[in-house]
Amino acid sequence: MQLKVPASLNADETMMLRAVEPAATGSAVTRSGTAPDGNGRGRSRRRRKAPRASALSRLPAAAPGLTRLVARVASDARRLRPRYPHADRAGWRRWAPSWRQWLGAALACTGLTVILLGSAYAATDIPDNLNSYATQQDNVYFWSDGTPMARTGWVRRQAMPLEDIPEDVRGAVLAAENASFYSDPGISLSGLGRALWRTVGQGETQGGSTITQQYVKNVYLNQDRSVGRKFTEAMLALKLDNQMSKDDILEGYLNTSWFGRGTYGIQRAAQAYYGKDVGDLDVSEAAFLASLLKGAGLYDPALSQANHDRAVERWSWILDRMAETGTLSKAERARYTKFPEPLKRAPGFDTGKQSDYLVELAARYAKKAAHLSDKEFDFGGFQIYTTFDRKQESALTDAVAEARKQARKKDAAKAKSLHFGASSVATDGRILAVHGGPDHRTQGYNESNATTVPAGSAFLPFVYAAALENGVHKTRDGAATEVTPQTLYDGDDGIAVRTPEGPYWDRGGKQVTSHNDGEKSYGRISLGRALALSVNTPFMQLGMDTGLDRVRATALRAGLLPSSFGPQVPAMSLGSATPSAIRMASGYATFAAAGKHVEPYSVSRITRNGSGIALDKPASRRAVKASVAAAVQSALTDAFRTAHPGADPAATVAGKAGTTQNDTAAWYVGTAHSVSTAVVAYRIDLGKSLEPLPLKGIAGSPGNGVPYRIWSGARGIG
C-alpha cells in the first residue's frame, strides 16, 4: 500500500500510523488519523510531535570522517558515564567503577596535577635577596708573613671559588650527598616522597634532598620543617637548576653549608678541623669533612666516643662510595685505611689584647684604601693582608709590659694612670708594630694613634729641617740667608724671642722667652750640636727666623697631620703640636729615607673570596732635600751617641728623647735598621678627666728613661 504525505506537513514531521489487520477487522485508517471503533465510529488519536534530529545527524554530509569520530567519542563517553548500580553485575561489583572509569579518573588527576605543578613552577620566582645570614662571612686578617692574625664577624665563613676546591674534595661531597648531582633535574622524587611521608606521618621531615635542594634551603629559605616549605624548596630547586650551571650550584653549596665548630663553608671547615686551607686537604680528610654534612653534631669526633665511632664508619662508607662512583680507583681506595683524626679543637686567633688594636687600624685603612662602605666591609668575605710584623709586635708588646711592671714596683699609685703609646714604621711606610694599650677589651682607644700629648723637644728635627730647607730671614723683606749645621745661635736659657721688628709679645703683653731643660745655658752653639744636645732656645728662635708657616709645612710633608697643630705661635717650635706615635715614627722615617716620605699604611693587599680587590697604595714623594735629610739624620745620630756613649759605634742608629715644659709627656723617637720607632709615656686618669697629668718622675730621666728602654727593647738595641 502506498501512503501519500499531505503537502501541509513539514518534511521533518512524521505521522504516527497504526496498522490494523485488514482481514480481522476490515477497518481502515482514515486520513484524519482516526480509526473506527467497534461500533464503526472513528476514535480520535492525538498527534505526537516528532523528536528533533540529533546533533550527529545534523553534521554536514560532506564530513563523514568527522561524523564517525564524533560518534566514536560519544559512544566512549557513554560507556565511561557511571551507572550505579551496574545491572549486568552482581554483589559488590555492581557498585565498583569499571576499568574505563578508573582510567578516566587517573588521566583526569594526572592532567590536573600537571596543570597545578606547571602553574606553580611558572609562578615561582627565584628571590633576588639571598638569606643574608647564609651568605655573610667573616673577615680574616693576616700577619705580614701570611699567617692568620685575627678574624672578625659573627659568622665563621669564607667562600672559595670552585676551581680552588680540589676535585677530590668535590668528589667526596658528591659521593656522600648526591652522586647523581650532575645528571638530576635538581630534585629527587624518591627523596621528596620519603620526606613527605615522614612529615605527614610522623611530624618531621626526612633527608633525601639533592645538593640543589640543600643549597636552596641554605640561601633562600628558613629551616622550617613543613610540607609547604618542602614544596617551595622543590619548585625553587627545579627553576634554579634550569637557570644556574651545576658548577655554580655546587660552589654555592660548598660555601654555605654548616660543618660544625661554628663554621660555614668548606674552607673554614678545613681550617677548623685540620688547621689548613681546603686546597691542602687529601682525599681521606675530605671524606671526613663530607661526613659532617649529614650532621656535624653527630660526627664531630671531639664531642664523644659515639661520635667518633659514627665518624669512622661514615668516613669509610664515603671512601667506598667514591670508589663505586669512579671518583677513586680501587687502588687509591685501598691506600686509606687509617682514619684522619681531626684537631681536638679549632685553632683560635689571638683576639683581644693587642691584636684588636691592629685589626682596628687595618680595618679603617682597608675601607678607605679599597673604597668600601661599612656595609660592604661588614658583610664579610675579605682577606686583609696587613703589614704588621709578628716578631716586632711581640718585641714591642713585651717591652711595654716590662716597663709597666717596673712602674708598678716604683710607684703603684702613679702607675695606675700611666699610659704608653708606641709604633714602629718602616722607611717605606709600612706600619710594622703598634702598642695601643693594655687590652682593647678594657680600653677601647688606641694609644699609638692618639693625639693626646705634645711632642715637646722631639719636634726639634722638623724645625731644623725647615731651616736647612728654606733658610732664615733676619729682616722682614730681605732675602733668605742659608743655614747650615754649623750656623751659630744663642743657647742660653731665658733669652727673649725676637722678630725682625724686635721682641715678641704675647696677647697678655708679656715678652716671650724660651727655656732649656734644667734652665741650663750653652752660650753660642751650632745648630747641629744644639739638636744633638736637645737645646731648646736656639730652635725657638730658629722657628721664628725660618717662619712658623714653613716649619709647619715641612712637618706636614714629613708625615705629621694638620689636625695635630694648634696656633702658629713661638711655642710651636718647641713641640706644642700633638702628633700620635705612629705619625712621629713616620716623620723620623722620612729623614732616614733620604727625605722621601710614604704615608704610613697597615694593609698591603686585600682579596675577597680569593679575588683581588683594587687598593690605593701610598706613593713615595719628596718631603725635603736629600742633603737636608742627611744633615738631620747626622744630628740625630750624634744625639743618640751623646746620650748613649756605650752603644756600638758601627750601628746605624739615630734618635733623641723628647720632653715637655709642663712635664706631661716623655718621648723617645729614633731609627735603626731602616725602621723608625716612637714611644711616648704620659699620665691620664680616665675616670676623672682626659687632661694629661704631670709624670713626676715615673717615666725616668730624659736620656735613659722609660720610653728609651721600651724603644731599645723593641729594636733589640742594648
Side-chain angles (χ1 to χ4, degrees):
M1 178 178 65
Q2 182 177 6
L3 298 177
K4 292 183 179 180
V5 179
S8 62
L9 294 176
N10 294 329
D12 60 348
E13 293 181 342
T14 61
M15 296 182 65
M16 299 301 292
L17 302 179
R18 183 175 181 180
V20 181
E21 296 292 337
T25 65
S27 63
V29 180
T30 66
R31 292 184 65 182
S32 63
T34 61
D37 56 16
N39 298 323
R41 293 191 300 268
R43 184 169 50 85
S44 176
R45 295 189 55 88
R46 187 172 59 182
R47 180 180 301 168
R48 296 181 181 176
K49 187 177 180 180
R52 293 182 60 86
S54 66
L56 182 62
S57 67
R58 293 199 300 270
L59 288 173
L66 180 60
T67 302
R68 288 193 297 271
L69 176 61
V70 173
R72 177 79 174 270
V73 171
S75 175
D76 290 342
R78 283 194 299 272
R79 292 192 192 99
L80 291 173
R81 185 175 59 191
R83 294 184 178 89
Y84 291 101
H86 295 291
D88 57 344
R89 299 181 185 179
W92 63 269
R93 291 183 177 84
R94 298 180 62 197
W95 301 95
S98 67
W99 68 269
R100 292 184 181 89
Q101 292 164 349
W102 280 118
L103 178 61
L107 291 174
C109 290
T110 301
L112 182 60
T113 301
V114 169
I115 292 172
L116 291 176
L117 290 177
S119 300
Y121 179 84
T124 299
D125 292 323
I126 297 177
D128 293 329
N129 54 325
L130 302 181
N131 181 340
S132 59
Y133 186 81
T135 53
Q136 186 177 358
Q137 304 176 59
D138 54 4
N139 292 325
V140 181
Y141 296 79
F142 298 88
W143 294 101
S144 58
D145 62 2
T147 56
M149 180 182 77
R151 68 171 182 87
T152 59
W154 295 104
V155 180
R156 298 179 68 180
R157 178 190 289 110
Q158 283 289 304
M160 293 290 288
L162 190 64
E163 59 266 23
D164 293 340
I165 301 175
E167 289 282 354
D168 289 338
V169 177
R170 297 183 234 172
V173 171
L174 293 175
E177 294 294 306
N178 188 185
S180 63
F181 170 73
Y182 278 97
S183 60
D184 65 37
I187 64 172
S188 167
L189 295 178
S190 61
L192 281 172
R194 290 194 303 271
L196 181 62
W197 174 256
R198 292 283 293 179
T199 302
V200 174
Q202 300 187 21
E204 60 178 278
T205 55
Q206 183 71 3
S209 297
T210 64
I211 281 177
T212 307
Q213 289 174 261
Q214 293 180 57
Y215 175 60
V216 165
K217 182 175 65 175
N218 288 345
V219 301
Y220 295 115
L221 304 175
N222 56 36
Q223 302 301 312
D224 176 39
R225 293 175 175 266
S226 66
V227 175
R229 201 272 295 157
K230 202 71 179 176
F231 180 77
T232 303
E233 174 191 299
M235 290 297 102
L236 282 172
L238 283 170
K239 182 154 281 190
L240 197 70
D241 193 78
N242 287 328
Q243 295 186 10
M244 286 180 67
S245 70
K246 289 287 190 179
D247 282 350
D248 288 343
I249 294 173
L250 181 59
E251 178 182 306
Y253 172 72
L254 290 172
N255 285 318
T256 57
S257 294
W258 165 254
F259 284 87
R261 296 194 179 183
T263 64
Y264 290 84
I266 193 73
Q267 166 69 359
R268 298 295 281 120
Q271 295 170 345
Y273 288 92
Y274 290 107
K276 60 177 69 173
D277 290 333
V278 64
D280 298 326
L281 294 174
D282 61 27
V283 177
S284 183
E285 294 165 339
F288 165 70
L289 292 183
S291 72
L292 297 169
L293 292 166
K294 193 171 180 65
L298 295 174
Y299 293 95
D300 184 351
L303 299 180
S304 68
Q305 183 59 44
N307 273 22
H308 189 279
D309 296 340
R310 279 191 292 265
V312 172
E313 181 180 358
R314 185 155 177 82
W315 162 81
S316 180
W317 177 85
I318 291 173
L319 290 174
D320 291 340
R321 182 72 173 144
M322 291 176 73
E324 291 175 13
T325 58
T327 307
L328 282 181
S329 67
K330 292 184 178 180
E332 288 175 317
R333 169 62 186 98
R335 289 169 47 195
Y336 299 107
T337 57
K338 184 178 180 181
F339 180 66
E341 295 287 350
L343 300 172
K344 295 296 183 184
R345 55 182 296 180
F349 294 103
D350 183 21
T351 55
K353 299 186 178 180
Q354 290 304 306
S355 66
D356 280 359
Y357 294 113
L358 304 180
V359 166
E360 180 185 61
L361 284 174
R364 186 181 305 170
Y365 182 85
K367 286 184 282 190
K368 179 181 178 181
H371 306 285
L372 298 169
S373 67
D374 289 341
K375 182 178 180 180
E376 288 175 305
F377 193 76
D378 291 343
F379 200 70
F382 294 97
Q383 297 81 47
I384 299 99
Y385 296 86
T386 73
T387 60
F388 303 126
D389 184 281
R390 184 199 291 265
K391 292 181 180 179
Q392 295 202 35
E393 177 64 31
S394 178
L396 183 60
T397 301
D398 291 346
V400 173
E402 179 61 26
R404 198 181 299 277
K405 178 181 176 181
Q406 294 301 322
R408 291 193 189 102
K409 289 182 178 180
K410 183 177 181 179
D411 192 326
K414 291 188 180 71
K416 288 182 179 180
S417 58
L418 186 60
H419 297 264
F420 297 102
S423 177
S424 293
V425 178
T427 53
D428 60 5
R430 291 174 295 125
I431 302 176
L432 303 178
V434 300
H435 177 81
D439 190 331
H440 191 275
R441 292 167 295 189
T442 58
Q443 177 183 293
Y445 84 92
N446 189 337
E447 292 173 344
S448 71
N449 203 32
T451 56
T452 308
V453 292
S457 55
F459 186 80
L460 300 185
F462 300 105
V463 182
Y464 186 39
L468 295 174
E469 182 87 6
N470 298 285
V472 296
H473 293 78
K474 294 296 186 180
T475 60
R476 182 64 63 191
D477 300 321
T481 303
E482 182 182 5
V483 170
T484 69
Q486 289 74 40
T487 300
L488 298 176
Y489 264 73
D490 190 345
D492 286 342
D493 181 69
I495 61 172
V497 177
R498 301 184 62 83
T499 69
E501 287 79 20
Y504 182 90
W505 303 84
D506 63 18
R507 291 183 178 181
K510 184 178 180 181
Q511 187 175 356
V512 175
T513 59
S514 60
H515 298 274
N516 296 321
D517 286 343
E519 299 182 352
K520 185 177 180 180
S521 294
Y522 294 85
R524 301 287 289 178
I525 187 172
S526 69
L527 291 176
R529 183 65 177 163
L531 183 60
L533 297 176
S534 196
V535 182
N536 291 337
T537 53
F539 289 98
M540 196 166 187
Q541 184 60 52
L542 183 64
M544 296 297 293
D545 295 344
T546 304
L548 295 178
D549 56 339
R550 296 184 181 91
V551 172
R552 184 177 186 273
T554 299
L556 294 178
R557 290 196 303 272
L560 272 62
L561 295 176
S563 58
S564 63
F565 284 89
Q568 289 184 183
V569 295
M572 189 181 80
S573 296
L574 297 187
S576 62
T578 57
S580 67
I582 292 176
R583 287 292 167 171
M584 282 296 282
S586 175
Y588 274 52
T590 299
F591 302 131
K596 289 187 176 182
H597 174 71
V598 180
E599 279 291 286
Y601 64 98
S602 56
V603 177
S604 59
R605 183 167 63 96
I606 299 178
T607 61
R608 191 169 196 273
N609 299 334
S611 300
I613 300 293
L615 187 69
D616 294 340
K617 295 190 69 173
S620 174
R621 56 179 173 78
R622 174 65 62 186
V624 296
K625 297 174 185 176
S627 57
V628 171
V632 175
Q633 193 70 359
S634 176
L636 290 173
T637 301
D638 290 342
F640 175 78
R641 290 176 179 172
T642 300
H644 309 283
D648 183 2
T652 2
V653 181
K656 74 177 301 297
T659 57
T660 59
Q661 291 186 348
N662 52 8
D663 191 35
T664 55
W667 288 82
Y668 197 90
V669 190
T671 57
H673 313 299
S674 300
V675 174
S676 174
T677 300
V679 180
V680 60
Y682 58 96
R683 289 179 61 221
I684 291 180
D685 188 343
L686 295 174
K688 296 180 179 180
S689 170
L690 293 179
E691 286 297 319
L693 302 171
L695 288 169
K696 294 183 178 180
I698 192 67
S701 60
N704 196 29
V706 174
Y708 173 76
R709 292 200 294 272
I710 294 174
W711 181 89
S712 60
R715 301 304 314 138
I717 299 169

